[in-house]
Amino acid sequence: MSELVMSEVSAIEAVPAAAWNALVGDDHPFLRHEFLHALEASGAASPATGWVPCHLTLWQGEALVGILPHYHKHHSYGEYVFDWGWADAWERAGGDYYPKGLSAIPFTPAPGPRLALAPHVDPLAARRRLARAWEAGELSSWHLLFAEVDEVAAWREARPNLLARQGVQFQWQDRGYGDFAGFLAALTAKRRKAIRRERRLVAEQGLTLHRLEGAAIDAAAMAHFFRCYEITYLERGRHGYLGLDFFERLRRTLPESLLLIQARLEGRPVAAALCLQGSNTLYGRYWGSEVAADCLHFEACYYQGIEHCLARGLTRFDPGTQGEHKLARGFAPQRLTSLHHIADARLRDGVARFCAEERRHVEAYVAAAEAALPFRRN
């Protein structure tokens, strides 16, 4: 085969969607051309918002054989792996932390693949070729966020000097429960009773839950969801990162990956949670409500998702970042690793010490979280 040639593209629309998606497949919707294009075309991920697309592509002749989402960032918003302290320390020392390089899905802290390669491409050679994009340039650093375990290992083999930073999320796994009653049966009696009570409270307030997929999500349903999504952010004094145009583009171009959980009161929608789904995993991402209702968030964002997974044969439910309250509802801690290339040795030494100290705290936290899970002990 001919040698690998790397090309940097300033907009994902410069790469044919069919060629991009042929490498990605259907398992992880966030890496698909449609999702990334919706972010750029709607203006959410653009130079105007501090996200400068510089996607890295690998070619052999006329054939696209590798893709890696990549951005030059002028801030650290929308990443969910926080390096503000690193930036502040370096700039106080007289350095320029921004722009930095970032390989991640904007505004989406969902673990999944980042680099997609054709089957015949040597993964080690591909990563070494791509690394030249940030090692030979003027970027202060490069960051790989929320990659899967195997991909993290492969990058560290290609570039052993990458620093690893640990994090934690909470995910639900199907252990052969069969249905929601089977899931409850695996919990302690106290937690079974509490979850049943929470679900009963939602019903007693007159709320009904409805799961809409694909073509069943019309423009009106999406517009209502967006109003609810905005409420969540306005309560914190700002607008959301994503606009209605982004969600409408997803509805039109990626309908098979969407699940909208809608809460209705007297037949009128009053709250909504929008999820995306791959072939094995449900990803809970966005939520909002026009009403204050006891336990509605738990029902719409957790229990409905678990029921959907069990009904569709999905084995994993990633409900989003943060939230120790997920433990009591059967979501177990999952270790995550981000990788970081730091160009200057002085900053790199400081970051390495930080990551080592943080890792000890993360391990202690995971141990405590695992001990708090509500599953029955045999």
Side-chain angles (χ1 to χ4, degrees):
M1 298 296 292
S2 59
E3 67 173 326
L4 291 173
V5 176
M6 183 178 68
S7 176
E8 186 176 288
V9 297
S10 60
I12 195 171
E13 65 180 3
V15 182
W20 182 288
N21 287 337
L23 298 174
V24 173
D26 298 323
D27 291 342
H28 195 72
F30 306 112
L31 194 57
R32 288 184 63 83
H33 193 280
E34 296 91 340
F35 189 89
L36 295 172
H37 183 266
L39 286 169
E40 293 182 21
S42 66
S46 68
T49 61
W51 293 78
V52 182
C54 303
H55 304 305
L56 302 179
T57 61
L58 293 173
W59 301 79
Q60 285 182 326
E62 299 296 317
L64 179 68
V65 298
I67 58 99
L68 178 68
H70 187 242
Y71 303 86
H72 289 180
K73 286 294 300 298
H74 294 270
H75 53 66
S76 294
Y77 292 107
E79 298 176 17
Y80 301 93
V81 175
F82 303 110
D83 62 349
W84 295 105
W86 305 355
D88 180 63
W90 190 234
E91 290 176 358
R92 282 190 287 108
D96 292 322
Y97 193 75
Y98 304 107
K100 65 179 184 178
L102 179 75
S103 289
I105 310 299
F107 318 112
T108 308
R114 295 297 175 257
L115 173 62
L117 297 171
H120 67 273
V121 174
D122 179 354
L124 186 60
R127 286 181 170 85
R128 286 174 174 170
R129 181 67 187 88
L130 290 166
R132 299 178 199 172
W134 51 84
E135 291 177 346
E138 297 180 355
L139 297 172
S140 72
S141 54
W142 172 73
H143 310 264
L144 179 74
L145 308 186
F146 298 102
E148 294 175 326
V149 173
D150 291 345
E151 185 167 356
V152 167
W155 275 109
R156 299 197 79 184
E157 179 185 4
R159 284 295 183 266
N161 65 338
L162 288 172
L163 299 176
R165 184 179 184 184
Q166 301 300 311
V168 182
Q169 284 187 354
F170 300 93
Q171 298 176 5
W172 177 90
Q173 299 274 349
D174 184 8
R175 306 298 184 189
Y177 300 125
D179 56 18
F180 199 85
F183 164 62
L184 289 180
L187 304 178
T188 63
K190 179 179 179 181
R191 285 312 307 163
R192 284 199 303 273
K193 182 178 180 180
I195 290 174
R196 286 172 177 148
R197 176 180 176 275
E198 288 175 350
R199 304 197 81 183
R200 186 172 63 251
L201 280 173
V202 172
E204 289 173 351
Q205 293 169 91
L207 294 159
T208 59
L209 279 295
H210 307 264
R211 298 198 292 268
L212 309 178
E213 296 182 74
I217 306 173
D218 60 17
M222 188 61 81
H224 172 265
F225 154 76
F226 180 71
R227 290 198 300 274
C228 293
Y229 164 83
E230 274 284 88
I231 288 171
T232 300
Y233 281 88
L234 290 172
E235 288 174 347
R236 306 174 204 163
R238 64 184 181 88
H239 291 281
Y241 290 121
L242 306 170
L244 179 58
D245 183 46
F246 165 76
F247 293 110
E248 263 298 299
R249 287 176 182 273
L250 287 189
R251 189 182 72 84
R252 296 194 302 268
T253 63
L254 207 59
E256 68 279 4
S257 296
L258 298 184
L259 169 69
L260 180 64
I261 299 167
Q262 198 176 73
R264 298 175 187 169
L265 183 64
E266 298 179 352
R268 180 177 65 86
V270 294
L274 184 65
C275 308
L276 281 87
Q277 52 192 341
S279 56
N280 297 303
T281 305
L282 180 68
Y283 301 91
R285 302 260 56 90
Y286 319 104
W287 148 262
S289 177
E290 298 173 327
V291 298
D294 290 341
C295 300
L296 179 56
H297 176 261
F298 301 144
E299 178 65 35
C301 295
Y302 305 142
Y303 305 142
Q304 287 292 317
I306 291 173
E307 282 194 341
H308 180 79
C309 287
L310 292 167
R312 292 288 188 270
L314 304 178
T315 58
R316 185 164 62 109
F317 180 20
D318 168 7
T321 192
Q322 301 177 345
E324 293 176 351
H325 55 278
K326 296 176 180 134
L327 277 171
R329 292 158 182 90
F331 292 82
Q334 300 292 321
R335 293 172 178 84
L336 304 175
T337 303
S338 58
L339 294 179
H340 309 271
H341 162 78
I342 308 295
D344 192 287
R346 294 167 296 173
L347 177 59
R348 185 181 190 280
D349 289 345
V351 170
R353 291 193 296 272
F354 172 89
C355 290
E357 178 65 24
E358 186 181 50
R359 186 178 301 113
R360 289 190 285 270
H361 292 290
V362 168
E363 288 302 320
Y365 177 78
V366 169
E370 288 175 340
L373 283 167
F375 293 102
R376 297 164 55 194
R377 278 21 176 217
N378 292 327

